[in-house]
Amino acid sequence: MELLDEYTGHVDPEGPAARRDLGAVAITKVSVGPMDNNAYLLVDKATGSTLLIDAANEAERLLDTVDTVAERGRTKTIVTTHQHWDHVQALEAMTQALSPETYAHELDAPELPVPPDHTVGDDDEVRFGESFVEVIHLDGHTPGSIALLYRDPDGSAHLFTGDSLFPGGHGKTATVDHHNALMDDLERKVFDRLDDDTWVYPGHGDDTTLGAERPQLPEWRERGW
């Protein structure tokens, strides 16, 4: 896997992965599959323990990325942000290849191709080596959608949002009630709690920050989807 060490938040389908080097953790982003799904590898630099967020597609491409930035034997944690098919197509193959501990929210767990070893929700933590991410349940895109928050001890927060938050809006919702639920959770659990410099890593496309998106919240609420 070709790897870029100049991280901009953009990766291309079939293109290189991109790595962001923080103090204690390195974050690698790669695009997989026909829907430009983002998968993320978080490597705890003290131990080499590695967490994969969303085994979305192209298991061999994901494994190639693992081999480039980590070790298969230390990639023992997979978290699924939500149940939609485009985010789980490589989950079974990656589980067979890595024998990891798998995590998802209990409300989406029944729809996954591999039942999770652990179900998680608000205020839970998923550890990898000496590092961890905090779980934030965001109801609306799916009943069990979750975001994962890494708080860099030496810098800003880093939020992996699945399809619950993108540049320019939240992910698709089926009804106005689902839209309102997701807006409520995003405002209360994310925008009200985290600073503008929080970096957002979505399930598709380019990254953003909470500061870039915050002025648009009233518009998102009003448009109703």
Side-chain angles (χ1 to χ4, degrees):
M1 171 63 67
E2 185 180 355
L3 181 66
L4 302 177
D5 276 318
E6 293 184 3
Y7 190 88
T8 66
H10 174 82
V11 291
D12 290 313
E14 302 182 6
R19 179 167 57 190
R20 183 175 199 172
D21 199 10
L22 307 178
V25 166
I27 299 170
T28 298
K29 177 178 183 175
V30 63
S31 172
V32 294
M35 296 186 69
D36 186 21
N37 283 77
N38 295 323
Y40 299 94
L41 285 164
L42 279 62
V43 181
D44 174 65
K45 292 196 287 186
T47 64
S49 295
T50 302
L51 180 155
L52 169 62
I53 299 173
D54 282 351
N57 209 323
E58 294 188 276
E60 288 304 316
R61 181 168 168 81
L62 291 176
L63 289 170
D64 192 11
T65 307
V66 170
D67 292 340
T68 301
V69 303
E71 296 180 22
R72 293 195 189 191
R74 296 186 180 183
T75 306
K76 290 300 184 184
T77 309
I78 298 178
V79 182
T80 299
T81 61
H82 64 290
Q83 64 177 270
H84 284 161
W85 66 274
D86 58 311
H87 288 260
V88 300
Q89 289 185 86
L91 182 57
E92 184 173 6
M94 293 297 285
T95 299
Q96 292 173 351
L98 300 174
S99 300
E101 296 287 302
T102 57
Y103 296 77
H105 194 278
E106 64 179 356
L107 294 178
D108 276 13
E111 305 301 321
L112 301 183
V114 178
D117 298 306
H118 309 279
T119 57
V120 290
D122 281 327
D123 302 321
D124 286 331
E125 297 176 353
V126 179
R127 293 192 166 270
F128 55 108
E130 296 180 4
S131 301
F132 65 91
V133 291
E134 303 169 31
V135 177
I136 302 172
H137 177 215
L138 299 172
D139 179 26
H141 181 66
T142 67
S145 289
I146 56 175
L148 302 167
L149 176 65
Y150 173 68
R151 298 181 187 269
D152 182 2
D154 301 316
S156 61
H158 298 261
L159 185 67
F160 301 84
T161 56
D163 284 0
S164 291
L165 178 62
F166 295 101
H170 65 59
K172 182 179 178 181
T173 52
T175 69
V176 172
D177 286 344
H178 292 163
H179 160 76
N180 289 334
L182 183 49
M183 285 300 306
D184 289 346
D185 276 359
L186 284 171
E187 290 183 347
R188 179 169 58 89
K189 298 180 182 181
V190 174
F191 285 92
D192 288 352
R193 289 177 50 200
L194 300 173
D195 294 335
D196 281 354
D197 62 356
T198 299
W199 196 273
V200 176
Y201 304 79
H204 305 264
D206 292 351
D207 298 355
T208 186
T209 64
L210 291 188
E213 306 307 318
R214 192 182 300 275
Q216 305 175 71
L217 288 173
E219 175 189 342
W220 300 354
R221 174 74 73 175
E222 180 66 24
R223 72 191 184 193
W225 53 267

